[in-house]
Amino acid sequence: MWAKRRQPLQSKFSSVNDASGLWLAALAMLMVTVLSSAAFLAPQSALLYLALANLLLLVHGLLCRGNIGGILRYIVLQLGFTLLLYVVIHGGQQLHQGAWAVARLLLALLPGWWLTVVIKPQWIGEVLAKIMPVKWAFVVAASINLLPYMTSELRDIYQLQLLRGARIAPRQLLNPLNWYELAYCVIFPLFVQLLKLAQQTATAARSRHFGSHPQPTHWRDPRSHQ
């Protein structure tokens, strides 16, 4: 999952106009698609070069004040779960394969994190609207824009459930018997919150007559015209 996005690309490229921004967004989305796909499709011998490319994106994202903490916590938790499953299934003889699987997952997530940090959501939505139906583009762009909110909600729900005494602390999650409590106390409430948010977003879109025109307008940042 992605961490909270503090400032988009405008902090570094505030003078970029909308036309140039759309080209930047399109190229960035294409690059992210290629890098994320390569994380799963590339041979293990090529992962080092892929890691170097992701390192550049990581540095750039951090310079744009992106927060990588959420991804790191997720990867550590995923690594613990994966290694535990490999121990249970294979008896600890193939732990290195589990570690490589988690490494590929990290390499697949980093480009998407970088995209949400540096590219304006309205640019993403406008680019997607040129290659897919407008309603689909709206859903995808809204989902990307909500990733920081999802991360914040997940963190808040997790902390509240810990205070209530739920057995979901990192050490307690080493016991697979507590995974059900994690799903019941954290994942399910988050899912309910997202359903409510989706309904509110749909209501807001309908109230603005979204979908009534085949070529809707897009938000323009006033600062890009100054």
Side-chain angles (χ1 to χ4, degrees), residues 1-3 32 35-37 39-40 54 57 68 70-72 74-75 78 102-116 147:
M1 55 191 69
W2 282 257
V32 165
L35 290 177
S36 296
S37 300
F40 295 109
N54 278 268
L57 296 183
I68 196 65
I71 284 187
L72 293 181
Y74 171 75
I75 288 298
Q78 184 66 45
V102 176
R104 288 180 180 272
L105 179 61
L106 175 61
L107 294 177
L109 290 177
L110 280 176
W113 166 82
W114 173 81
L115 183 70
T116 61
L147 288 175

Side-chain angles (χ1 to χ4, degrees), residues 199-212:
Q199 184 177 15
Q200 293 171 358
T201 303
T203 301
R206 285 195 299 268
S207 67
R208 291 164 173 79
H209 305 285
F210 178 78
S212 61

